[in-house]
Amino acid sequence: MTALEPRDADVVTEAAETDPRSGPDSVLSRAYRALSVGIVSVVLLIAFEATAVGTAMPVAARELDGVALYAFAFSGYFTTSLFGMVLSGQWSDRRGPLGPLSAGIAGFATGLVIAGTARSMWVFILGRAVQGLGGGLVIVALYVVVGRAYPERLRPAIMAAFAAGWVVPSIVGPLASGAVTEHLGWRWVFLGIPVLVVLPLALALPQIRRRASGPVRKDQAAGSFDRRRIRLALGISLGAGLLQYAAQDLRPLAVLPALAGAALLVPAVLGLLPRGTYRAARGLPSVVLLRGLSAGSFIVAESFVPLMLVTQRGLSPTLAGFSLAAGGVTWALGSYLQSRPRMAPYRERLMTAGMVLVAAAVATAPSVLVHAVPVWTVAVAWAFGCLGMGLVISSTSVLLLQLSAPEEAGANSAALQISDALANVVLLAATGAAFAALGGGSATATAATTAGGPPPLAFAAVFLPMAGVALVGAWVTRRLRA
């Protein structure tokens, strides 16, 4: 079945909004229940994998004699996901999101199987790369599904449901992964998830085929991919990989891969993100920029919190992880608040408040470097920071779909995800280099240390600049409307 033409879709949506008997009023109403449960279940499984893998990864690296390649198991996933995002945007806009979503889930599951059965570290890294390609395809396709299958008034709610899908995995994932790794072996952390994908697919794919398959308009033929954008996607993936590699090596020769990475990355970014993104042009460019500033500043800072608590305050890795657990709940709360219809007129103000909360949380976290400050200060600060992120991240997704023509939803969703992921790479590379230069060393080398670990100044060089980036994001929230 082909999608409705835009004019017909407007008529149906308008009728549903004016006549309460003619359309559903929630994402769990009869018309949307199977689709909503299916796609949120996909998000839930991806979230569980993301939170569980970090616990199993050190054990896998030791068993495969690949501790020296530890960082590549993460960067391999990330660099291929960038390419997958661009490919998915092209594929979704021209032929509908069903194809990239199906291929992405298959690729994600295949990567998990390759990693779970690997006998060497390089094969394990290959599995992570295949998994990243699948994850990149899935995340953009899901955004296109939301844009096509749900009326505008329901999109904030389904985005809030996506955020809620991360709550249980963020709390249970590390504990479950640790138990499975200890009693069954790390391989089952990877091999157990593909089996669970079958039910979400059975629920979601028929609904996606009915509501969101094919070109946007009946008279629009499925076009060929834009080869230029595909080349730029390859450039951005390779450039990001080189930049991450250089950031792990402070020798003078590391400047060469860093320069090569930047030479590939800069033109690719300019070609793939909306024109004016780098200067915060009003409207869509600022929405895309804000996504990168918010995600980059918060996630980069969060990656150093457990290390700081373990090395500076002597907490166990489990307790350090629990200090961030409440954030999953408050993140979901922020997403829920932005989804309420009465909040829609105040969305930009909510996003400004959210970025201020993020900046305050990131700036407060290093206060525990002073031993007189209670260690639970981090948990409280991070709960408020996650509340701010819930307000901002879901809202950027909602605004992006509002500002995108139906035939551009895939490309713009890919740009949003690229901004998110790329900010993590660039900011993590910069802060990682500063952290190492100030005596922090590599995260893998210091994660097991307790007293006498990295100096406090090294941590301050991570958190305080990221708080500044978040404040820049607060300014960008004033430029989201054209």
Side-chain angles (χ1 to χ4, degrees), residues 154-173:
L154 294 183
R155 291 173 192 165
I158 195 65
M159 291 300 177
F162 283 1
W166 283 81
V167 174
V168 173
S170 67
I171 299 172
V172 177

Side-chain angles (χ1 to χ4, degrees), residues 283-285 287 398-405 408 412 480-482:
L284 183 64
V287 173
V398 172
L399 286 178
L400 178 114
L401 293 174
Q402 287 180 357
L403 297 172
S404 300
E408 296 176 347
N412 290 341
L480 300 179
R481 293 292 185 183

Side-chain angles (χ1 to χ4, degrees), residues 143 146 155 159 162 287 291 351 392-403 413 416-417:
Y143 273 62
V146 171
R155 291 173 192 165
M159 291 300 177
F162 283 1
V287 173
R291 181 59 166 260
M351 297 171 78
V392 173
I393 295 296
S394 295
S395 290
T396 56
S397 303
V398 172
L399 286 178
L400 178 114
L401 293 174
Q402 287 180 357
L403 297 172
S413 296
L416 191 76
Q417 297 301 324

Side-chain angles (χ1 to χ4, degrees), residues 338-367:
Q338 67 79 35
S339 73
R340 308 310 298 159
R342 69 181 63 181
M343 294 295 183
Y346 311 106
R347 186 172 300 281
E348 286 76 15
R349 295 181 186 178
L350 287 175
M351 297 171 78
T352 303
M355 289 308 303
V356 171
L357 286 174
V358 170
V362 174
T364 301
S367 65

Side-chain angles (χ1 to χ4, degrees), residues 417-428:
Q417 297 301 324
I418 288 170
S419 178
D420 185 322
L422 192 60
N424 282 317
V425 168
V426 173
L427 294 177
L428 188 57

Side-chain angles (χ1 to χ4, degrees), residues 289-290 293-294 297 348-360 392 466-480:
L289 177 62
L290 178 62
L293 295 174
S294 57
S297 61
E348 286 76 15
R349 295 181 186 178
L350 287 175
M351 297 171 78
T352 303
M355 289 308 303
V356 171
L357 286 174
V358 170
V392 173
M466 291 305 98
V469 172
L471 287 176
V472 174
W475 172 76
V476 173
T477 61
R478 314 304 298 172
R479 302 179 62 81
L480 300 179

